[in-house]
Amino acid sequence: PRGYLGWSEIGHECSRYLWLSWRWASFETFEGRIVRLFETGNREEARVLDELREIGCTVWDRDENGKQFSIVSHKGHMQGHLDAVVQGLPEAPKTAHLVDVKTINTKRMTELQKKGMKTVYPKYWAQAHGYMSHYKLARALFIFVCKDDDTLFVERIEYDDAEFRRFESRAAAILDAKEPPEKFDAESFTCKFCHFKSQCHGTEAALPNCRTCAHSTPVADGNWMCEWWENIIPFAAQVKGCAEHRYIPALVSSFAELVEYNTISNEAVWRNKLTDKKFTQPRYSSMEMHQTEGKAALGEAFVESVKDEFLGMRCGFKEFPSDLPWADDQKKAPKGGIDHKPLGELYRTT
């Protein structure tokens, strides 16, 4: 996973989305077709930069070490990478421009031609101002390539310091927040296709890792400090977490409330808000809290008795579907079978 909040994302309308992404509340996965689309964008970038060279422009797309030009801010937790800086454009041959290449479809191209980049792609608008400010550029050139018919749309924008300050302040607020910002209404278009929707508006728990743990704090140089182990956490370890993981309470507030915590033993007592029963950590691991889809099972008497019987038992209960044709409570028991029981009870006995 990417370890920083990107300038390419800071223009996203939902601050909560940005916070959850940076905190690794879940990792978005993509099917092969989408990965290929990303690669198409990378290939188009190289093609357009070559075309700019062919019309006489000077193109800087790598530093002296052969790497992309990058920016790092906010103690290393905010970063971005430039496509290129170009000089010699016909519109302003003496002015160095930030250049970024994007690929879009016909529908978005039509919208972009009518409304402009700031309205259609506020993320790119924010990205442009971050890059221009850090590299002291007064102009940016965004080149949009239609993947359907190779139509080009080119927009030059002028640096606006007030806009840069606005995005800088927003980034600082997100990175400094100890809990996720306010969420949008569940019916909003922003939430409709968001992969955090089940966390914000359902009972899904965030992934257990160091960034969702109450013990960890972002510090200088892009590092994270674990207050339980009193040490800087290596990047690979941040992804895995450890058995001492204790959730930031806001990340599980849809189904659990922290009622007691022992700072010496790291024992936590939670109240299951769905059943009013209590369950404790480390008796239940954070991974169990995450994997159990039927959150009412946490602290439930039968689960507790199984844990007592089978020491070290870990659960990851899933919700049973309720629309199975054989789940009708009125059906008779099979011949020679046990008395029919409601699905939930049958599930617990099996």
PDB file of all heavy atoms in Angstrom, residues 81-115:
ATOM      1  N   HIS A  81       4.153  13.199  -7.129  1.00  0.00           N
ATOM      2  CA  HIS A  81       5.161  12.954  -8.163  1.00  0.00           C
ATOM      3  C   HIS A  81       4.718  13.599  -9.464  1.00  0.00           C
ATOM      4  O   HIS A  81       3.598  13.378  -9.931  1.00  0.00           O
ATOM      5  CB  HIS A  81       5.375  11.449  -8.352  1.00  0.00           C
ATOM      6  CG  HIS A  81       5.867  10.761  -7.117  1.00  0.00           C
ATOM      7  ND1 HIS A  81       5.018  10.324  -6.108  1.00  0.00           N
ATOM      8  CD2 HIS A  81       7.120  10.456  -6.706  1.00  0.00           C
ATOM      9  CE1 HIS A  81       5.729   9.771  -5.148  1.00  0.00           C
ATOM     10  NE2 HIS A  81       7.001   9.827  -5.483  1.00  0.00           N
ATOM     11  N   LEU A  82       5.593  14.407 -10.050  1.00  0.00           N
ATOM     12  CA  LEU A  82       5.286  15.163 -11.252  1.00  0.00           C
ATOM     13  C   LEU A  82       5.477  14.325 -12.508  1.00  0.00           C
ATOM     14  O   LEU A  82       6.411  13.525 -12.586  1.00  0.00           O
ATOM     15  CB  LEU A  82       6.176  16.411 -11.356  1.00  0.00           C
ATOM     16  CG  LEU A  82       5.898  17.607 -10.447  1.00  0.00           C
ATOM     17  CD1 LEU A  82       6.149  17.281  -8.990  1.00  0.00           C
ATOM     18  CD2 LEU A  82       6.746  18.791 -10.887  1.00  0.00           C
ATOM     19  N   ASP A  83       4.617  14.570 -13.512  1.00  0.00           N
ATOM     20  CA  ASP A  83       4.856  13.967 -14.823  1.00  0.00           C
ATOM     21  C   ASP A  83       6.058  14.643 -15.476  1.00  0.00           C
ATOM     22  O   ASP A  83       6.978  13.973 -15.936  1.00  0.00           O
ATOM     23  CB  ASP A  83       3.628  14.120 -15.723  1.00  0.00           C
ATOM     24  CG  ASP A  83       2.528  13.124 -15.387  1.00  0.00           C
ATOM     25  OD1 ASP A  83       2.739  12.292 -14.482  1.00  0.00           O
ATOM     26  OD2 ASP A  83       1.460  13.179 -16.021  1.00  0.00           O
ATOM     27  N   ALA A  84       6.034  15.995 -15.512  1.00  0.00           N
ATOM     28  CA  ALA A  84       7.135  16.708 -16.173  1.00  0.00           C
ATOM     29  C   ALA A  84       7.001  18.207 -15.965  1.00  0.00           C
ATOM     30  O   ALA A  84       5.947  18.722 -15.572  1.00  0.00           O
ATOM     31  CB  ALA A  84       7.151  16.398 -17.674  1.00  0.00           C
ATOM     32  N   VAL A  85       8.093  18.915 -16.249  1.00  0.00           N
ATOM     33  CA  VAL A  85       8.107  20.369 -16.399  1.00  0.00           C
ATOM     34  C   VAL A  85       8.581  20.644 -17.815  1.00  0.00           C
ATOM     35  O   VAL A  85       9.559  20.036 -18.279  1.00  0.00           O
ATOM     36  CB  VAL A  85       9.033  21.047 -15.369  1.00  0.00           C
ATOM     37  CG1 VAL A  85       9.110  22.554 -15.630  1.00  0.00           C
ATOM     38  CG2 VAL A  85       8.532  20.772 -13.949  1.00  0.00           C
ATOM     39  N   VAL A  86       7.873  21.530 -18.516  1.00  0.00           N
ATOM     40  CA  VAL A  86       8.138  21.757 -19.937  1.00  0.00           C
ATOM     41  C   VAL A  86       8.320  23.248 -20.213  1.00  0.00           C
ATOM     42  O   VAL A  86       7.605  24.083 -19.652  1.00  0.00           O
ATOM     43  CB  VAL A  86       6.972  21.209 -20.801  1.00  0.00           C
ATOM     44  CG1 VAL A  86       7.167  21.564 -22.270  1.00  0.00           C
ATOM     45  CG2 VAL A  86       6.856  19.702 -20.634  1.00  0.00           C
ATOM     46  N   GLN A  87       9.256  23.560 -21.080  1.00  0.00           N
ATOM     47  CA  GLN A  87       9.466  24.942 -21.527  1.00  0.00           C
ATOM     48  C   GLN A  87       9.485  24.965 -23.059  1.00  0.00           C
ATOM     49  O   GLN A  87       9.978  24.035 -23.697  1.00  0.00           O
ATOM     50  CB  GLN A  87      10.778  25.502 -20.984  1.00  0.00           C
ATOM     51  CG  GLN A  87      10.930  27.004 -21.165  1.00  0.00           C
ATOM     52  CD  GLN A  87      12.126  27.537 -20.380  1.00  0.00           C
ATOM     53  OE1 GLN A  87      13.165  26.899 -20.328  1.00  0.00           O
ATOM     54  NE2 GLN A  87      11.966  28.698 -19.773  1.00  0.00           N
ATOM     55  N   GLY A  88       8.924  26.046 -23.632  1.00  0.00           N
ATOM     56  CA  GLY A  88       8.912  26.176 -25.085  1.00  0.00           C
ATOM     57  C   GLY A  88       7.547  25.955 -25.703  1.00  0.00           C
ATOM     58  O   GLY A  88       7.437  25.757 -26.918  1.00  0.00           O
ATOM     59  N   LEU A  89       6.495  25.974 -24.892  1.00  0.00           N
ATOM     60  CA  LEU A  89       5.147  25.804 -25.426  1.00  0.00           C
ATOM     61  C   LEU A  89       4.798  26.979 -26.347  1.00  0.00           C
ATOM     62  O   LEU A  89       5.156  28.132 -26.045  1.00  0.00           O
ATOM     63  CB  LEU A  89       4.125  25.721 -24.287  1.00  0.00           C
ATOM     64  CG  LEU A  89       4.240  24.493 -23.373  1.00  0.00           C
ATOM     65  CD1 LEU A  89       3.360  24.664 -22.147  1.00  0.00           C
ATOM     66  CD2 LEU A  89       3.855  23.232 -24.129  1.00  0.00           C
ATOM     67  N   PRO A  90       4.115  26.747 -27.451  1.00  0.00           N
ATOM     68  CA  PRO A  90       3.783  27.829 -28.378  1.00  0.00           C
ATOM     69  C   PRO A  90       3.027  28.984 -27.720  1.00  0.00           C
ATOM     70  O   PRO A  90       3.223  30.142 -28.086  1.00  0.00           O
ATOM     71  CB  PRO A  90       2.908  27.124 -29.425  1.00  0.00           C
ATOM     72  CG  PRO A  90       3.340  25.700 -29.378  1.00  0.00           C
ATOM     73  CD  PRO A  90       3.683  25.434 -27.944  1.00  0.00           C
ATOM     74  N   GLU A  91       2.192  28.687 -26.725  1.00  0.00           N
ATOM     75  CA  GLU A  91       1.393  29.738 -26.081  1.00  0.00           C
ATOM     76  C   GLU A  91       2.238  30.661 -25.212  1.00  0.00           C
ATOM     77  O   GLU A  91       1.876  31.823 -24.985  1.00  0.00           O
ATOM     78  CB  GLU A  91       0.282  29.119 -25.219  1.00  0.00           C
ATOM     79  CG  GLU A  91      -0.758  28.328 -26.002  1.00  0.00           C
ATOM     80  CD  GLU A  91      -0.355  26.890 -26.227  1.00  0.00           C
ATOM     81  OE1 GLU A  91       0.815  26.548 -25.960  1.00  0.00           O
ATOM     82  OE2 GLU A  91      -1.211  26.099 -26.658  1.00  0.00           O
ATOM     83  N   ALA A  92       3.325  30.159 -24.664  1.00  0.00           N
ATOM     84  CA  ALA A  92       4.190  30.951 -23.779  1.00  0.00           C
ATOM     85  C   ALA A  92       5.575  30.310 -23.776  1.00  0.00           C
ATOM     86  O   ALA A  92       5.952  29.605 -22.838  1.00  0.00           O
ATOM     87  CB  ALA A  92       3.614  31.003 -22.366  1.00  0.00           C
ATOM     88  N   PRO A  93       6.367  30.549 -24.816  1.00  0.00           N
ATOM     89  CA  PRO A  93       7.636  29.823 -25.006  1.00  0.00           C
ATOM     90  C   PRO A  93       8.683  30.028 -23.921  1.00  0.00           C
ATOM     91  O   PRO A  93       9.551  29.177 -23.729  1.00  0.00           O
ATOM     92  CB  PRO A  93       8.127  30.344 -26.364  1.00  0.00           C
ATOM     93  CG  PRO A  93       7.362  31.582 -26.626  1.00  0.00           C
ATOM     94  CD  PRO A  93       6.061  31.456 -25.933  1.00  0.00           C
ATOM     95  N   LYS A  94       8.617  31.136 -23.184  1.00  0.00           N
ATOM     96  CA  LYS A  94       9.645  31.409 -22.172  1.00  0.00           C
ATOM     97  C   LYS A  94       9.255  30.930 -20.777  1.00  0.00           C
ATOM     98  O   LYS A  94      10.077  30.938 -19.858  1.00  0.00           O
ATOM     99  CB  LYS A  94       9.945  32.909 -22.121  1.00  0.00           C
ATOM    100  CG  LYS A  94      10.578  33.453 -23.397  1.00  0.00           C
ATOM    101  CD  LYS A  94      10.908  34.926 -23.257  1.00  0.00           C
ATOM    102  CE  LYS A  94      11.556  35.467 -24.529  1.00  0.00           C
ATOM    103  NZ  LYS A  94      11.888  36.921 -24.397  1.00  0.00           N
ATOM    104  N   THR A  95       7.998  30.526 -20.614  1.00  0.00           N
ATOM    105  CA  THR A  95       7.496  30.161 -19.283  1.00  0.00           C
ATOM    106  C   THR A  95       7.550  28.650 -19.067  1.00  0.00           C
ATOM    107  O   THR A  95       7.011  27.880 -19.874  1.00  0.00           O
ATOM    108  CB  THR A  95       6.039  30.640 -19.109  1.00  0.00           C
ATOM    109  OG1 THR A  95       5.984  32.050 -19.330  1.00  0.00           O
ATOM    110  CG2 THR A  95       5.534  30.330 -17.707  1.00  0.00           C
ATOM    111  N   ALA A  96       8.174  28.242 -17.981  1.00  0.00           N
ATOM    112  CA  ALA A  96       8.189  26.820 -17.615  1.00  0.00           C
ATOM    113  C   ALA A  96       6.821  26.438 -17.055  1.00  0.00           C
ATOM    114  O   ALA A  96       6.252  27.146 -16.225  1.00  0.00           O
ATOM    115  CB  ALA A  96       9.273  26.549 -16.584  1.00  0.00           C
ATOM    116  N   HIS A  97       6.288  25.330 -17.540  1.00  0.00           N
ATOM    117  CA  HIS A  97       4.972  24.849 -17.125  1.00  0.00           C
ATOM    118  C   HIS A  97       5.077  23.476 -16.466  1.00  0.00           C
ATOM    119  O   HIS A  97       5.819  22.603 -16.945  1.00  0.00           O
ATOM    120  CB  HIS A  97       4.036  24.695 -18.332  1.00  0.00           C
ATOM    121  CG  HIS A  97       3.514  25.963 -18.908  1.00  0.00           C
ATOM    122  ND1 HIS A  97       4.315  26.907 -19.517  1.00  0.00           N
ATOM    123  CD2 HIS A  97       2.239  26.447 -18.985  1.00  0.00           C
ATOM    124  CE1 HIS A  97       3.561  27.908 -19.961  1.00  0.00           C
ATOM    125  NE2 HIS A  97       2.305  27.651 -19.648  1.00  0.00           N
ATOM    126  N   LEU A  98       4.317  23.305 -15.402  1.00  0.00           N
ATOM    127  CA  LEU A  98       4.055  21.957 -14.927  1.00  0.00           C
ATOM    128  C   LEU A  98       3.191  21.282 -15.994  1.00  0.00           C
ATOM    129  O   LEU A  98       2.243  21.889 -16.497  1.00  0.00           O
ATOM    130  CB  LEU A  98       3.281  22.000 -13.606  1.00  0.00           C
ATOM    131  CG  LEU A  98       2.609  20.683 -13.178  1.00  0.00           C
ATOM    132  CD1 LEU A  98       3.646  19.718 -12.641  1.00  0.00           C
ATOM    133  CD2 LEU A  98       1.517  20.941 -12.149  1.00  0.00           C
ATOM    134  N   VAL A  99       3.499  20.050 -16.350  1.00  0.00           N
ATOM    135  CA  VAL A  99       2.698  19.324 -17.332  1.00  0.00           C
ATOM    136  C   VAL A  99       2.235  17.998 -16.736  1.00  0.00           C
ATOM    137  O   VAL A  99       3.026  17.264 -16.137  1.00  0.00           O
ATOM    138  CB  VAL A  99       3.490  19.058 -18.636  1.00  0.00           C
ATOM    139  CG1 VAL A  99       2.737  18.078 -19.536  1.00  0.00           C
ATOM    140  CG2 VAL A  99       3.719  20.358 -19.388  1.00  0.00           C
ATOM    141  N   ASP A 100       0.952  17.728 -16.906  1.00  0.00           N
ATOM    142  CA  ASP A 100       0.404  16.454 -16.453  1.00  0.00           C
ATOM    143  C   ASP A 100      -0.491  15.903 -17.552  1.00  0.00           C
ATOM    144  O   ASP A 100      -1.244  16.648 -18.180  1.00  0.00           O
ATOM    145  CB  ASP A 100      -0.393  16.633 -15.155  1.00  0.00           C
ATOM    146  CG  ASP A 100      -0.388  15.375 -14.305  1.00  0.00           C
ATOM    147  OD1 ASP A 100      -0.903  14.345 -14.786  1.00  0.00           O
ATOM    148  OD2 ASP A 100       0.139  15.420 -13.181  1.00  0.00           O
ATOM    149  N   VAL A 101      -0.386  14.597 -17.800  1.00  0.00           N
ATOM    150  CA  VAL A 101      -1.139  13.946 -18.871  1.00  0.00           C
ATOM    151  C   VAL A 101      -2.163  13.000 -18.256  1.00  0.00           C
ATOM    152  O   VAL A 101      -1.830  12.185 -17.391  1.00  0.00           O
ATOM    153  CB  VAL A 101      -0.195  13.166 -19.804  1.00  0.00           C
ATOM    154  CG1 VAL A 101      -0.988  12.505 -20.937  1.00  0.00           C
ATOM    155  CG2 VAL A 101       0.890  14.080 -20.355  1.00  0.00           C
ATOM    156  N   LYS A 102      -3.407  13.104 -18.685  1.00  0.00           N
ATOM    157  CA  LYS A 102      -4.478  12.248 -18.187  1.00  0.00           C
ATOM    158  C   LYS A 102      -5.222  11.618 -19.356  1.00  0.00           C
ATOM    159  O   LYS A 102      -5.379  12.232 -20.407  1.00  0.00           O
ATOM    160  CB  LYS A 102      -5.488  13.069 -17.361  1.00  0.00           C
ATOM    161  CG  LYS A 102      -4.885  13.915 -16.250  1.00  0.00           C
ATOM    162  CD  LYS A 102      -4.305  13.063 -15.130  1.00  0.00           C
ATOM    163  CE  LYS A 102      -3.820  13.949 -13.973  1.00  0.00           C
ATOM    164  NZ  LYS A 102      -3.172  13.142 -12.900  1.00  0.00           N
ATOM    165  N   THR A 103      -5.697  10.384 -19.172  1.00  0.00           N
ATOM    166  CA  THR A 103      -6.528   9.728 -20.187  1.00  0.00           C
ATOM    167  C   THR A 103      -7.963   9.639 -19.667  1.00  0.00           C
ATOM    168  O   THR A 103      -8.190   9.318 -18.497  1.00  0.00           O
ATOM    169  CB  THR A 103      -6.010   8.317 -20.515  1.00  0.00           C
ATOM    170  OG1 THR A 103      -5.938   7.531 -19.320  1.00  0.00           O
ATOM    171  CG2 THR A 103      -4.636   8.382 -21.160  1.00  0.00           C
ATOM    172  N   ILE A 104      -8.922   9.937 -20.540  1.00  0.00           N
ATOM    173  CA  ILE A 104     -10.338   9.939 -20.164  1.00  0.00           C
ATOM    174  C   ILE A 104     -11.163   9.347 -21.303  1.00  0.00           C
ATOM    175  O   ILE A 104     -10.655   9.118 -22.399  1.00  0.00           O
ATOM    176  CB  ILE A 104     -10.837  11.354 -19.829  1.00  0.00           C
ATOM    177  CG1 ILE A 104     -10.617  12.302 -21.022  1.00  0.00           C
ATOM    178  CG2 ILE A 104     -10.136  11.898 -18.582  1.00  0.00           C
ATOM    179  CD1 ILE A 104     -11.149  13.707 -20.797  1.00  0.00           C
ATOM    180  N   ASN A 105     -12.467   9.109 -21.059  1.00  0.00           N
ATOM    181  CA  ASN A 105     -13.335   8.591 -22.111  1.00  0.00           C
ATOM    182  C   ASN A 105     -14.111   9.732 -22.778  1.00  0.00           C
ATOM    183  O   ASN A 105     -14.017  10.896 -22.366  1.00  0.00           O
ATOM    184  CB  ASN A 105     -14.283   7.520 -21.563  1.00  0.00           C
ATOM    185  CG  ASN A 105     -15.184   8.040 -20.450  1.00  0.00           C
ATOM    186  OD1 ASN A 105     -15.513   9.223 -20.404  1.00  0.00           O
ATOM    187  ND2 ASN A 105     -15.582   7.160 -19.546  1.00  0.00           N
ATOM    188  N   THR A 106     -14.885   9.388 -23.786  1.00  0.00           N
ATOM    189  CA  THR A 106     -15.590  10.399 -24.578  1.00  0.00           C
ATOM    190  C   THR A 106     -16.574  11.204 -23.742  1.00  0.00           C
ATOM    191  O   THR A 106     -16.675  12.440 -23.878  1.00  0.00           O
ATOM    192  CB  THR A 106     -16.343   9.722 -25.739  1.00  0.00           C
ATOM    193  OG1 THR A 106     -15.398   9.018 -26.558  1.00  0.00           O
ATOM    194  CG2 THR A 106     -17.062  10.747 -26.593  1.00  0.00           C
ATOM    195  N   LYS A 107     -17.306  10.535 -22.861  1.00  0.00           N
ATOM    196  CA  LYS A 107     -18.291  11.231 -22.033  1.00  0.00           C
ATOM    197  C   LYS A 107     -17.630  12.300 -21.181  1.00  0.00           C
ATOM    198  O   LYS A 107     -18.108  13.446 -21.096  1.00  0.00           O
ATOM    199  CB  LYS A 107     -19.034  10.224 -21.152  1.00  0.00           C
ATOM    200  CG  LYS A 107     -20.096  10.854 -20.272  1.00  0.00           C
ATOM    201  CD  LYS A 107     -20.804   9.792 -19.431  1.00  0.00           C
ATOM    202  CE  LYS A 107     -21.841  10.432 -18.517  1.00  0.00           C
ATOM    203  NZ  LYS A 107     -22.530   9.407 -17.671  1.00  0.00           N
ATOM    204  N   ARG A 108     -16.530  11.937 -20.538  1.00  0.00           N
ATOM    205  CA  ARG A 108     -15.829  12.899 -19.684  1.00  0.00           C
ATOM    206  C   ARG A 108     -15.172  13.997 -20.518  1.00  0.00           C
ATOM    207  O   ARG A 108     -15.082  15.148 -20.090  1.00  0.00           O
ATOM    208  CB  ARG A 108     -14.786  12.176 -18.841  1.00  0.00           C
ATOM    209  CG  ARG A 108     -15.356  11.175 -17.866  1.00  0.00           C
ATOM    210  CD  ARG A 108     -16.208  11.817 -16.810  1.00  0.00           C
ATOM    211  NE  ARG A 108     -15.427  12.159 -15.635  1.00  0.00           N
ATOM    212  CZ  ARG A 108     -15.903  12.838 -14.593  1.00  0.00           C
ATOM    213  NH1 ARG A 108     -17.153  13.267 -14.614  1.00  0.00           N
ATOM    214  NH2 ARG A 108     -15.136  13.107 -13.565  1.00  0.00           N
ATOM    215  N   MET A 109     -14.717  13.657 -21.715  1.00  0.00           N
ATOM    216  CA  MET A 109     -14.126  14.658 -22.595  1.00  0.00           C
ATOM    217  C   MET A 109     -15.153  15.733 -22.949  1.00  0.00           C
ATOM    218  O   MET A 109     -14.862  16.935 -22.917  1.00  0.00           O
ATOM    219  CB  MET A 109     -13.600  13.992 -23.863  1.00  0.00           C
ATOM    220  CG  MET A 109     -13.050  14.961 -24.902  1.00  0.00           C
ATOM    221  SD  MET A 109     -11.588  15.889 -24.336  1.00  0.00           S
ATOM    222  CE  MET A 109     -10.296  14.644 -24.508  1.00  0.00           C
ATOM    223  N   THR A 110     -16.362  15.321 -23.280  1.00  0.00           N
ATOM    224  CA  THR A 110     -17.426  16.271 -23.616  1.00  0.00           C
ATOM    225  C   THR A 110     -17.730  17.179 -22.429  1.00  0.00           C
ATOM    226  O   THR A 110     -17.884  18.403 -22.573  1.00  0.00           O
ATOM    227  CB  THR A 110     -18.696  15.516 -24.036  1.00  0.00           C
ATOM    228  OG1 THR A 110     -18.403  14.692 -25.158  1.00  0.00           O
ATOM    229  CG2 THR A 110     -19.811  16.487 -24.397  1.00  0.00           C
ATOM    230  N   GLU A 111     -17.791  16.584 -21.245  1.00  0.00           N
ATOM    231  CA  GLU A 111     -18.062  17.352 -20.032  1.00  0.00           C
ATOM    232  C   GLU A 111     -16.930  18.332 -19.747  1.00  0.00           C
ATOM    233  O   GLU A 111     -17.155  19.490 -19.372  1.00  0.00           O
ATOM    234  CB  GLU A 111     -18.249  16.386 -18.861  1.00  0.00           C
ATOM    235  CG  GLU A 111     -18.773  17.022 -17.591  1.00  0.00           C
ATOM    236  CD  GLU A 111     -18.998  16.010 -16.485  1.00  0.00           C
ATOM    237  OE1 GLU A 111     -18.695  14.807 -16.692  1.00  0.00           O
ATOM    238  OE2 GLU A 111     -19.470  16.414 -15.415  1.00  0.00           O
ATOM    239  N   LEU A 112     -15.714  17.872 -19.946  1.00  0.00           N
ATOM    240  CA  LEU A 112     -14.534  18.700 -19.694  1.00  0.00           C
ATOM    241  C   LEU A 112     -14.498  19.893 -20.643  1.00  0.00           C
ATOM    242  O   LEU A 112     -14.185  21.024 -20.239  1.00  0.00           O
ATOM    243  CB  LEU A 112     -13.276  17.848 -19.859  1.00  0.00           C
ATOM    244  CG  LEU A 112     -11.931  18.476 -19.514  1.00  0.00           C
ATOM    245  CD1 LEU A 112     -11.868  18.821 -18.034  1.00  0.00           C
ATOM    246  CD2 LEU A 112     -10.800  17.515 -19.874  1.00  0.00           C
ATOM    247  N   GLN A 113     -14.812  19.680 -21.900  1.00  0.00           N
ATOM    248  CA  GLN A 113     -14.809  20.760 -22.886  1.00  0.00           C
ATOM    249  C   GLN A 113     -15.835  21.837 -22.552  1.00  0.00           C
ATOM    250  O   GLN A 113     -15.643  23.009 -22.862  1.00  0.00           O
ATOM    251  CB  GLN A 113     -15.074  20.176 -24.278  1.00  0.00           C
ATOM    252  CG  GLN A 113     -13.927  19.331 -24.811  1.00  0.00           C
ATOM    253  CD  GLN A 113     -14.299  18.560 -26.050  1.00  0.00           C
ATOM    254  OE1 GLN A 113     -15.479  18.279 -26.294  1.00  0.00           O
ATOM    255  NE2 GLN A 113     -13.308  18.200 -26.856  1.00  0.00           N
ATOM    256  N   LYS A 114     -16.921  21.437 -21.907  1.00  0.00           N
ATOM    257  CA  LYS A 114     -17.985  22.387 -21.569  1.00  0.00           C
ATOM    258  C   LYS A 114     -17.707  23.137 -20.263  1.00  0.00           C
ATOM    259  O   LYS A 114     -17.971  24.332 -20.149  1.00  0.00           O
ATOM    260  CB  LYS A 114     -19.319  21.653 -21.449  1.00  0.00           C
ATOM    261  CG  LYS A 114     -19.866  21.123 -22.755  1.00  0.00           C
ATOM    262  CD  LYS A 114     -21.186  20.401 -22.519  1.00  0.00           C
ATOM    263  CE  LYS A 114     -21.774  19.886 -23.826  1.00  0.00           C
ATOM    264  NZ  LYS A 114     -23.046  19.139 -23.599  1.00  0.00           N
ATOM    265  N   LYS A 115     -17.171  22.444 -19.270  1.00  0.00           N
ATOM    266  CA  LYS A 115     -17.102  23.010 -17.924  1.00  0.00           C
ATOM    267  C   LYS A 115     -15.689  23.335 -17.432  1.00  0.00           C
ATOM    268  O   LYS A 115     -15.535  24.108 -16.488  1.00  0.00           O
ATOM    269  CB  LYS A 115     -17.755  22.045 -16.928  1.00  0.00           C
ATOM    270  CG  LYS A 115     -19.218  21.755 -17.230  1.00  0.00           C
ATOM    271  CD  LYS A 115     -19.788  20.750 -16.235  1.00  0.00           C
ATOM    272  CE  LYS A 115     -21.237  20.421 -16.552  1.00  0.00           C
ATOM    273  NZ  LYS A 115     -21.781  19.401 -15.601  1.00  0.00           N
TER     274      LYS A 115
END
